[in-house]
Amino acid sequence: MTPRRVPSAKRLPVFAIACLALAACSEKMDQPAPQASAPVAESAPKVRPAGAQFAASQENAESLAAVLTGGVCSVENVVTVPENQSSTGEKPNSYDGTRDKSYRMVGFAVNKDAGTVPAKVDIVLSGIRNYQLSVDTGRPRQDVADYFKTPAFDKAGYLVDVAFSDVEPGDYAIYFVDGSGGTKAACATNQSITIR
């Protein structure tokens, strides 16, 4: 039996289809494999600066004025952490702070009328809104004891790392409030801080 020859006209379409299929495969092999679309990057959560955060306070200028006493208190410096750069403001007795940095507040607080140092005081920022933060005293301050000639003031110092993340931008007067002994007493520092 002799093999049957396929007429050339019939072989041409089969040959053409095979060539086209091979060409299409080789084109696909030259192209990189399709990549799965990259997931849309979500913005990373903002990292809150380290330090104790000021929280909303019920104190206001009127309530503070009603309990002002002969206490003496001071914010002697506000410095950035960890750079240790003083954040003094443009006006005398003022400081500047931002909501995205950590700061160290240093100073002292005494109740001059009673001749005592409160163990704990609230630093109150009074402005558009009011904020407070409790801090412990007890750091050595012989200079304060010597100045006031009151040996009991030798532990009147405080040092606290803070952050202003929750404080609305604006200008704030700085007060200290002592709630120990059952009677609230406030001390005006005559200092201010601007939060940006």
Side-chain angles (χ1 to χ4, degrees):
M1 180 168 206
T2 14
R4 194 171 134 204
R5 291 183 57 163
V6 179
S8 61
K10 286 186 179 177
R11 276 191 272 166
L12 189 55
V14 173
F15 180 76
I17 290 172
C19 286
L20 285 174
L22 284 173
C25 286
S26 73
E27 281 179 24
K28 286 183 182 175
M29 288 173 33
D30 292 340
Q31 296 175 356
Q35 299 290 320
S37 60
V40 176
E42 292 183 26
S43 59
K46 263 193 156 176
V47 176
R48 286 170 68 89
Q53 296 282 344
F54 279 83
S57 172
Q58 296 302 313
E59 301 292 352
N60 58 44
E62 293 78 27
S63 68
L64 292 167
V67 293
L68 280 177
T69 65
V72 179
C73 51
S74 177
V75 177
E76 293 173 321
N77 209 345
V78 176
V79 298
T80 57
V81 175
E83 301 86 359
N84 204 33
Q85 298 294 315
S86 186
S87 295
T88 52
E90 295 175 7
K91 298 178 280 187
N93 296 318
S94 70
Y95 296 96
D96 282 333
T98 63
R99 300 173 74 192
D100 61 349
K101 279 187 156 297
S102 297
Y103 295 87
R104 179 165 292 143
M105 296 180 80
V106 180
F108 69 91
V110 300
N111 184 329
K112 191 176 165 197
D113 292 343
T116 60
V117 174
K120 186 182 286 288
V121 291
D122 290 336
I123 300 175
V124 176
L125 307 180
S126 180
I128 303 166
R129 295 205 183 342
N130 300 291
Y131 301 90
Q132 72 183 47
L133 173 71
S134 288
V135 298
D136 294 325
T137 59
R139 295 184 61 82
R141 289 303 303 261
Q142 189 61 47
D143 60 324
V144 174
D146 293 345
Y147 180 83
F148 289 105
K149 298 179 177 32
T150 307
F153 292 174
D154 68 338
K155 298 277 193 223
Y158 67 86
L159 181 150
V160 61
D161 288 351
V162 303
F164 302 104
S165 304
D166 299 328
V167 176
E168 187 174 328
D171 295 327
Y172 295 89
I174 304 172
Y175 293 87
F176 282 73
V177 176
D178 170 19
S180 63
T183 306
K184 188 185 287 187
C187 170
T189 64
N190 299 313
Q191 297 167 300
S192 64
I193 188 164
T194 299
I195 305 300
R196 301 183 197 287

